[in-house]
Each structure stands twice: as structure tokens, then as C-alpha cells.
Amino acid sequence: MKNLSTITQLCRSLSENRKSFLYPLVDRLIRLILTLLVSTATTKRAFSAMKIAKTSLRNKIEDDFLSDYLIVYIKKEIAEKFTIDSIIDDFYSMKKRRVQLNQ
């Protein structure tokens, strides 16, 4: 462990040598440091999307709707895979409707 030069190498070495069980707080601290940049970037992306989505015209949006809208906005690549027919089918299968939406 003397020749390690990065935090990533230290984390790997702790795991490989089973020292992470002897020093669980050190292991947890290193893992938090390594994931900090990823979690910060995700948070910044979410606030940036909220700034775009919540304009002065949309200030009256309820929190639940805004949260759902932002998830779809941030995860565009997943949302693009849905079709209108699949959404209608899922909505229809949630509970019995008086009128069938599919025609």
C-alpha cells in the first residue's frame, strides 16, 4: 500500500486486501469522496432543468407535477422510448374505465 498515488488506488487496495472490514469508516469516507462529483453533477443538472421548466408562466405548478415533469425532462433518452399507445394502455390497465381510450 506504500506505492499508491490516488484515492481510487487506495480504495481498490483496501477492498482487495480486505482492510475495508478493519477500517469501515475510512472505506466509507473514500467511497463518498469518489462519488461526490457524480452526485454533485446530477444535482446541478436537476436544478438547471428546474430553472428551464419552472418559468414565470409555470410558477403555479404543484410540487408533485413539477417533480414528475423534471424526471421526464432530465431522463429524455428513456422517455423517448415510450409511445403514446403504450402510455394509453398502461393508463387503461390501471383501473376500469367507462369509456375505452383505444379506438
Side-chain angles (χ1 to χ4, degrees), residues 3-41:
N3 298 329
L4 303 177
S5 60
T6 65
I7 294 177
T8 307
Q9 291 174 346
L10 177 61
C11 186
R12 278 196 190 125
S13 177
L14 284 173
S15 295
E16 290 170 356
N17 297 330
R18 300 275 186 192
K19 301 272 186 181
S20 59
F21 296 113
L22 293 174
Y23 306 106
L25 294 177
V26 173
D27 183 56
R28 179 176 281 180
L29 178 64
I30 292 171
R31 289 177 189 271
L32 286 172
I33 290 170
L34 290 173
T35 59
L36 182 63
L37 292 176
V38 175
S39 61
T40 304

Side-chain angles (χ1 to χ4, degrees), residues 3 60 63 67 91 94:
N3 298 329
K60 306 250 189 247
D63 290 339
S67 173
F91 181 74
M94 287 169 49

Side-chain angles (χ1 to χ4, degrees), residues 42 45-47 49-50 69-77:
T42 304
R45 194 175 331 127
F47 275 102
M50 187 171 67
Y69 178 78
L70 286 175
I71 289 171
V72 173
Y73 183 82
I74 292 169
K75 300 292 184 180
K76 290 177 193 170
E77 63 276 357

